[in-house]
Each structure stands twice: as C-alpha cells, then as structure tokens.
Amino acid sequence: MKSKYVILASALLISVATFAQKDQIKSAEKALKSGDAQGAITILKDAENMVANAKDVEQAQFYFVKGNAYLDLANKKVEESKNLSAAAESYKKLIEVEKTSGKQKYSTQAAASITEIKGKLINSAIADTQSNKSIEGAKKLYDAYLLDKNDTINLYYAASTAVNAQDFDAALPMYEELKKLNYSGKGTLYTAVNKASGNDDSFANAKERDLAVKLGTHEKPKTEAIPSKRGEIYKNLALILVQKGRTEDAKKAVADARKTNPDDTSLILTEANLYLETKDFEMYKKLVGEALQKEPNNADLVFNLGVLSANAKNNADAEKYYLKAIEINPNYTNAYLNLAALKLEAEKPIIDEMNKLGTSAKDMKRYDVLKAQREGVFKGVIPYLKKANELDPKNDDVAKTLLGVYKALEMTAEAKALKATMNQ
C-alpha cells in the first residue's frame, strides 16, 4: 500500500513541476513582450533542467521563446555574435523537437529566424573585416556555415578570413574540413546591372537574370566563370602545416588532392609552391614543366608560374612567364604590373651605390654612369606602366608610380598630362 502512495506522490511532483514550467514560459513571454529580453532568459534558465521532461509542445514553446529572447538582445547589439549563435541554437533544437513529434507549430518561424540570423552574421562579419577585426569576422562566418552546411562558401570565406587575421590555429580545421568536402567553389556567376542602384546584382541562374533584363529592371547581362579555389585552399593548408613543422603532412595533402582532382592545374602550382617553400628546386622545376605541358596557353597559369619564379628570386624565368602571359592575353594587367615591379628592383642596388659615393673626380664619374643606368631602368618600365595605367585607369598606385618615373626622367609634359587625368 505504501508503494502506491509513493507512486502517487511522484506523479504529483511531476505534475507540479510541469505547471511551474508552463508558468515560467508564460512569464518569460510576458517579460519579452515588455522589452525585457534579459529577464526572459533569466526566467527560462531556471526552467532549463526540467525542459527535457516536458511535453513536446512545451519544449518547442520553451525553445521558441528562448530563441526570440536571444535574437532580441542581438538586435539591440548586446553581445551580438554570442546572442545570435545562442538564438540559432535554440531555434535548431525547436525544429528538432517538432520534427520528432510530427507536430509543427513554430518550425516555419524558427527557420525564417535562422535565415535572418545567418544574414546578420555574414553582414556583421563583413563589417568586422572592414574594421580590421578579421578574427571576429572569421568566427561569425564559420557560425553562419554551421547554420547551413549546404552553403559551403561561408566555410571557405571563414578560412580565408582567419588566414588574413594570421589566426592559423582557427584556419587549419576549416581548411581540413574544406579538403574533406573536396570543395572547389568552381561555378558560373550570372550578373546584370540594376538600373535603380547602378550596382551589379547576382542571380541564381541565367533564366532569372534574363527575366530581370526583360522586365526592364536590369541591363548589361554578364556571365563569368568562377575558377576553382582548390589551389588556394590546398596552398594555405600546406603552408600552415609547414609552419607547424608538419611538412610531410602538407606534401601528402596536396598529393591526395591531385589524385582526386587530376585535371585541376591550380593544384600543380600549389604543389610547386610547396616544394619551393621547402627549397626542393628540382621538384619545383619538374612541376612547373608539368603545368606548362597541361595548359601552355592558359594565361593565368603562365602568370602564376611567373609569380612563383619571382618568389624564388629567379627573375629571368619570371620575366619570361610574364611576357608569355602578355603574348597569350595582351590585356593582362597584372602581368604588366609585375613586369614593371620586376624591372624596378634593379634600381635599389644602383641607389645604394650612388649613396656611398663621395665627391672625388672618380666618384663623380661613377655617379654619372650609375645615373644613366637608373634612367635606363626607368625608361624600360614606362611601356609596362603606361599599358597597365591604360587598362586600369582607376588604380592610383600604378598612376603614382608612373608619375614618379616621369618626374625622375624630367618628362614634364608627360607628368603634367598624367596628373590631369588623376585629378578627374
């Protein structure tokens, strides 16, 4: 008989707890409606331990109110990133509960809120990177990826942002996850100019873009190929592993990537760069030759080989590749810029020697020789800088460099004409 009383008492305790929890959820809702989101969270925390034993409908309501409270705080800029993540976590639990129970009351609203949170995280991350807060920005982009793992580009941007912040410990697992997913980012970009804003708008496909053009809201449709990002991903992964003393792991990662993606020539460059970093110049040259055999007329590939050669201080090969890139694509702006930069490197040792000279007749004679050599360097870069300026007139650095060359050579008329275009 006593055991029956014990069972009855237990049932009574559960019932009382359930009623108490309902009251707490209602109190939290009331606090939230009155603008006290922090108070609502405090109330719900007291009910946290009992929520697992509640009915499905009450669990869903609990997580819905909790998510709304955290989102309200985030919208008020109170620990925005932390509260956005907490809100999303609550909404995800809500959706899971309702999916299991088969009764959906809040899931649609929760899903919409998760989409809103994802957008807020991305926009906040962009603002962070613009304010030189890339560590914070990388975390928010990663949180956005965790909300929607189908949108893998956010994982890629999170890893890239972490690298820009020199936060290699955070970047490494992100790149390893991209490697596991065999992410490439390759695709097609469909854009058209918005007549109202003047900005380029992106579209999911050509059909949607062409419809916008037909309706008259957009103009100047453009289709661009988005190149594979695998080379960059594996390059950064390998460089981080090398920095951590895991050189063999780096080599294996790139080798595995090449086996999986045999037609991705960017990976050959990544492997070449890795052997360059480890000063295995023979292997580096072998891979460079392999890359050229695969795509001898790929201007981007040839240009990148020029960059790798320049990094290896092999200026003769670098110049050869830059000139080849220009031969393939006469409008390759960066090839002209890098050629000019390569040529201008010859100025430094000339200046260093000029500064050491005295005022003796012998030194003055040597000074004149060096001055002529310096002028020769400047004259040699003018064609490349002029072409780069013509192709990219809005690039202030190019214009300023060209202006400096004109002034050094006392080309007054040319300097005056260029300056007039810069002031427009």
Side-chain angles (χ1 to χ4, degrees), residues 284-321:
Y284 160 72
K285 286 177 183 177
K286 177 179 174 292
L287 289 164
V288 165
E290 188 181 331
L292 279 178
Q293 281 180 356
K294 277 186 174 286
E295 293 190 41
N297 292 316
N298 182 325
D300 290 332
L301 176 60
V302 175
F303 172 78
N304 285 335
L305 291 171
V307 173
L308 287 175
S309 297
N311 289 341
K313 302 300 179 187
N314 189 340
N315 288 3
D317 278 355
E319 182 175 354
K320 179 181 73 176
Y321 290 130

Side-chain angles (χ1 to χ4, degrees), residues 112-403:
S113 294
I114 286 173
T115 301
E116 179 191 345
I117 290 167
K118 179 182 164 187
K120 285 178 181 292
L121 283 169
I122 292 168
N123 290 334
S124 183
I126 292 168
D128 281 342
T129 54
Q130 289 172 344
S131 304
N132 295 319
K133 294 192 289 185
S134 292
I135 291 176
E136 293 89 336
K139 185 183 182 308
K140 288 171 186 174
L141 286 167
Y142 187 68
D143 286 344
Y145 162 69
L146 292 177
L147 289 180
D148 180 7
K149 289 195 172 185
N150 291 321
D151 204 353
T152 44
I153 195 165
N154 288 321
L155 176 60
Y156 164 75
Y157 283 132
S160 300
T161 305
V163 163
N164 290 340
Q166 305 271 300
D167 189 357
F168 301 127
D169 288 336
L172 181 57
M174 295 179 196
Y175 279 121
E176 286 175 333
E177 193 165 351
L178 286 166
K179 173 180 177 283
K180 187 178 176 182
L181 294 169
N182 198 27
Y183 175 80
S184 79
K186 191 175 183 179
T188 307
L189 184 65
Y190 303 97
T191 62
V193 176
N194 187 314
K195 287 182 180 179
S197 67
N199 297 325
D200 279 337
D201 286 347
S202 298
F203 295 84
N205 51 55
K207 190 177 178 181
E208 283 187 16
R209 181 202 57 199
D210 294 344
L211 178 61
V213 172
K214 192 175 180 180
L215 291 171
T217 58
H218 291 73
E219 61 183 354
K220 299 176 184 175
K222 194 164 58 173
T223 302
E224 292 179 82
I226 303 171
S228 170
K229 297 176 178 67
R230 281 200 190 101
E232 178 202 329
I233 290 165
Y234 281 90
K235 175 188 170 186
N236 286 340
L237 173 60
L239 290 177
I240 292 169
L241 289 171
V242 168
Q243 188 193 56
K244 289 182 172 292
R246 294 168 59 186
T247 304
E248 292 309 311
D249 288 341
K251 288 178 179 177
K252 185 177 184 304
V254 179
D256 288 347
R258 287 195 61 197
K259 285 176 190 173
T260 311
N261 309 279
D263 297 323
D264 194 334
T265 50
S266 68
L267 290 173
I268 302 177
L269 285 180
T270 297
E271 192 169 18
N273 188 65
L274 174 57
Y275 281 98
L276 179 64
E277 288 287 325
T278 54
K279 297 189 169 40
D280 187 341
F281 299 116
E282 286 306 311
M283 191 63 179
Y284 160 72
K285 286 177 183 177
K286 177 179 174 292
L287 289 164
V288 165
E290 188 181 331
L292 279 178
Q293 281 180 356
K294 277 186 174 286
E295 293 190 41
N297 292 316
N298 182 325
D300 290 332
L301 176 60
V302 175
F303 172 78
N304 285 335
L305 291 171
V307 173
L308 287 175
S309 297
N311 289 341
K313 302 300 179 187
N314 189 340
N315 288 3
D317 278 355
E319 182 175 354
K320 179 181 73 176
Y321 290 130
Y322 292 145
L323 288 171
K324 178 67 176 175
I326 290 167
E327 182 186 322
I328 297 167
N329 178 7
N331 293 327
Y332 207 118
T333 309
N334 286 338
Y336 291 104
L337 284 173
N338 282 19
L339 260 173
L342 199 69
K343 297 282 186 184
L344 283 170
E345 285 181 14
E347 184 201 9
K348 188 180 183 302
I350 295 172
I351 290 290
D352 289 344
E353 188 177 349
M354 289 172 82
N355 289 335
K356 291 175 184 176
L357 294 173
T359 56
S360 67
K362 183 182 177 182
D363 283 351
M364 294 304 290
K365 189 176 179 180
R366 179 59 182 163
Y367 183 89
D368 290 339
V369 171
L370 292 170
K371 183 182 176 185
Q373 286 178 6
R374 184 170 180 249
E375 287 174 354
V377 170
F378 285 152
K379 287 173 184 175
V381 301
I382 287 176
Y384 304 126
L385 289 173
K386 279 180 71 175
K387 186 64 178 178
N389 186 57
E390 177 192 316
L391 293 169
D392 189 7
K394 292 183 180 179
N395 191 323
D396 289 339
D397 290 334
V398 176
K400 285 175 183 175
T401 304
L402 181 56
L403 184 64

Side-chain angles (χ1 to χ4, degrees), residues 21 44-52 62-63 66 93:
Q21 192 177 66
L44 291 172
K45 276 184 179 177
D46 291 338
E48 194 91 46
N49 294 331
M50 295 182 286
V51 75
F62 173 88
Y63 288 123
K66 188 179 178 184
K93 285 180 180 176

